[in-house]
């Protein structure tokens, strides 16, 4: 059966970008194969984070996963650090990705750009190794992500090919990334030439934002000169971003979204986008709050980690054996 795996880092506040690019679609995979969705808490340590904030973000993310429609009967939902095989496989795989290729990763370059060498942790540099471990541990065939994570899946493929060439074709399963046709890269509302990200409060819509804050943020989104509504990422990045948000939430094409807004003025256009986002997020927030208050996610995470660990252990053993580590139980 096809294996599908993805994860989100519990850093900062989840954004509408995370929702549209990843979270919203995870549930659709439940009918297509065996799904593993995890909370990448070890990855959250790659930049400084307050321990209590990390713990709360982890609870939030568990509740968000369930609120998004993931069914724990169908999807294995777990916390990365509760499955020790991630770190164990990481310790092996780190020897097969190299300094040169790791230093060329866009995410590393962006995140470390304003940091002194003396403040950049090894984990930030070696991030793709742990991410590759996450993916290959479950023999994942498909990895649904937003555009910014594609490079990390590609380096995972390089690693898999390298390992399989050296240790045999069946050592690791080669994964493919899957990005949405519409909404793989949602841009900041205040500067639509940069990606919406958890660390940019100005141009972001956070999944926990109160409805009125969401409305305000969208109403004050940067639009472009002119008054016509059409899709042109180069010359109309603001309008194009709002059209993308609309199309992905309504699950229609960009062309259909453009046709819908023919003859609209910017003000009414934004009003309708805001209402669309609110119609999507308001019930989602309600479900999230109920789940968080009930504490039901804890049992889901415990069961998920147990199941994940059983599967992960098999892959770990296979790799340990392939590279020549002696199994004293045999
Ligand atoms: P993270 O936590 O940064 O983001 C979670 C998911 O949201 C997508 N995303 C976006 N999509 C569209 N527009 C945006 N503005 C936007 N911002 C973020 C991301 O592409 C991602 O799919 N390294 C991963 C977590 C991870 C992982 C994995 C994912 C760790 N191990 C294994 C897949 C498989 C990350 O930091 O995502």
């Amino acid at each position: 059966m096809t294996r599908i795996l993805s994860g989100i880092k519990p850093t900062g506040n989840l954004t509408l970008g995370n929702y549209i690019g990843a979270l919203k679609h995870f549930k659709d995979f439940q009918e297509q194969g065996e799904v593993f969705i995890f909370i990448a808490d070890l990855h959250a340590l790659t930049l400084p984070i307050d321990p209590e904030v990390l713990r709360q973000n982890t609870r939030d993310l568990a509740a968000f996963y369930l609120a998004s429609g993931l069914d724990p009967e169908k999807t294995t939902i777990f916390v990365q650090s509760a499955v020790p095989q991630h770190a164990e496989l990481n310790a092996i795989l780190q020897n097969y990705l190299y300094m040169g290729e790791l230093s060329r990763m866009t995410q590393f370059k962006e995140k470390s750009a304003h940091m002194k060498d003396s403040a950049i942790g090894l984990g930030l540099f070696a991030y793709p190794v742990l991410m590759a471990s996450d993916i290959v541990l479950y023999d994942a065939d498909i990895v649904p992500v937003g555009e910014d994570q594609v490079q990390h899946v590609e380096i995972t493929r390089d690693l898999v090919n390298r390992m399989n060439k050296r240790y045999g074709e069946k050592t690791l399963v080669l994964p493919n990334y899957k990005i949405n046709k519409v909404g793989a890269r949602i841009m900041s509302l205040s500067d639509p030439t940069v990606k919406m990200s958890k660390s940019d409060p100005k141009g972001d819509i956070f999944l926990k934002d109160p409805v009125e804050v969401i409305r305000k943020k969208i109403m004050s989104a940067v639009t472009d000169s002119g008054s016509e509504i059409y899709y042109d990422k180069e010359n109309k990045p603001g309008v194009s971003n709002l059209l993308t948000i609309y199309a992905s939430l309504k699950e229609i094409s960009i062309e259909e979204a453009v046709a819908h807004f023919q003859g609209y003025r910017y003000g009414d256009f934004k009003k309708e986008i805001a209402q669309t986002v609110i119609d999507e997020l308001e019930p989602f927030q309600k479900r999230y709050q109920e789940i968080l208050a009930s504490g039901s996610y804890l049992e889901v995470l415990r069961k998920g980690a147990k199941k994940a660990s059983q599967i992960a252990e098999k892959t770990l053993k296979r790799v340990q054996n392939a590279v020549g580590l002696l199994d004293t139980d045999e």
Side-chain angles (χ1 to χ4, degrees):
M1 192 167 2
T2 307
R3 289 256 176 92
I4 298 125
L5 171 131
S6 198
I8 297 180
K9 257 187 338 256
T11 46
N13 275 314
L14 250 63
T15 69
L16 186 64
N18 298 126
Y19 184 81
I20 289 177
L23 181 58
K24 170 178 153 59
H25 300 281
F26 289 164
K27 66 173 184 311
D28 303 336
F29 290 94
Q30 294 182 140
E31 311 312 324
Q32 295 175 32
E34 205 178 339
V35 184
F36 297 82
I37 300 292
F38 71 100
I39 298 172
D41 60 344
L42 292 172
H43 279 105
L45 294 174
T46 54
L47 287 174
I49 185 164
D50 177 83
E52 264 326 304
V53 171
L54 174 55
R55 247 186 295 277
Q56 189 51 44
N57 287 349
T58 303
R59 295 185 190 103
D60 277 350
L61 189 47
F64 280 141
Y65 280 158
L66 293 168
S68 76
L70 284 177
D71 174 356
E73 296 296 319
K74 294 183 181 159
T75 295
T76 308
I77 304 172
F78 60 98
V79 178
Q80 183 187 29
S81 64
V83 181
Q85 288 86 353
H86 288 250
E88 289 183 68
L89 187 60
N90 181 65
I92 297 176
L93 296 187
Q94 65 185 348
N95 301 299
Y96 303 89
L97 282 179
Y98 305 126
M99 303 280 281
E101 55 195 350
L102 290 171
S103 62
R104 284 193 294 275
M105 291 287 107
T106 306
Q107 180 176 292
F108 173 70
K109 286 198 279 191
E110 279 174 6
K111 300 229 153 141
S112 60
H114 303 292
M115 293 166 79
K116 288 197 193 120
D117 273 0
S118 58
I120 300 171
L122 179 59
L124 186 65
F125 185 67
Y127 189 108
V129 182
L130 182 57
M131 182 152 162
S133 308
D134 301 336
I135 295 170
V136 300
L137 256 186
Y138 301 92
D139 294 336
D141 304 291
I142 300 174
V143 183
V145 284
E147 204 175 88
D148 64 336
Q149 293 300 318
V150 166
Q151 199 181 33
H152 287 156
V153 183
E154 278 173 343
I155 201 173
T156 302
R157 288 172 60 85
D158 293 343
L159 173 79
V160 167
N161 286 326
R162 199 168 289 163
M163 295 291 286
N164 287 354
K165 201 162 163 215
R166 183 145 167 198
Y167 298 108
E169 281 310 312
K170 295 221 154 73
T171 309
L172 296 173
V173 171
L174 189 67
N176 283 295
Y177 62 82
K178 174 110 178 53
I179 60 171
N180 299 317
K181 270 204 218 87
V182 180
R185 190 176 184 86
I186 300 296
M187 311 307 276
S188 159
L189 297 179
S190 59
D191 178 0
T193 62
V194 303
K195 187 187 70 170
M196 186 182 278
S197 77
K198 291 174 212 160
S199 47
D200 158 35
K202 272 196 295 159
D204 281 5
I205 293 191
F206 297 124
L207 297 186
K208 292 207 285 187
D209 275 345
V211 164
E212 285 320 311
V213 172
I214 295 177
R215 200 185 306 278
K216 236 185 174 159
K217 285 184 178 174
I218 295 181
M219 291 312 290
S220 51
V222 169
T223 33
D224 317 289
S225 55
S227 58
E228 257 184 285
I229 294 167
Y230 59 91
Y231 188 85
D232 177 348
K233 255 163 77 174
E234 292 291 307
N235 301 309
K236 289 216 162 222
V239 168
S240 302
N241 190 38
L242 292 174
L243 283 167
T244 303
I245 291 173
Y246 182 82
S248 45
L249 292 180
K250 290 284 188 190
E251 298 182 9
I252 58 174
S253 66
I254 294 286
E255 293 73 28
E256 287 169 311
V258 172
H260 174 79
F261 287 111
Q262 274 321 294
Y264 271 61
R265 292 164 193 263
Y266 277 171
D268 292 330
F269 168 59
K270 286 200 220 170
K271 237 189 232 166
E272 193 162 327
I273 306 275
Q275 195 54 48
T276 305
V277 174
I278 289 168
D279 288 347
E280 176 93 12
L281 291 189
E282 206 173 20
F284 171 76
Q285 290 179 342
K286 200 160 164 267
R287 289 194 297 277
Y288 149 79
Q289 265 149 8
E290 283 165 6
I291 295 161
L292 200 61
S294 77
S296 59
Y297 60 89
L298 280 172
E299 184 58 15
V300 170
L301 294 177
R302 274 195 290 267
K303 276 199 185 143
K306 216 166 150 195
K307 179 162 175 223
S309 177
Q310 282 165 358
I311 294 166
E313 184 59 23
K314 285 194 195 136
T315 313
L316 180 64
K317 279 261 148 63
R318 198 170 72 225
V319 177
Q320 286 171 331
N321 185 44
V323 300
L325 304 183
L326 177 69
D327 183 355
T328 50
D329 290 334
E330 269 193 349

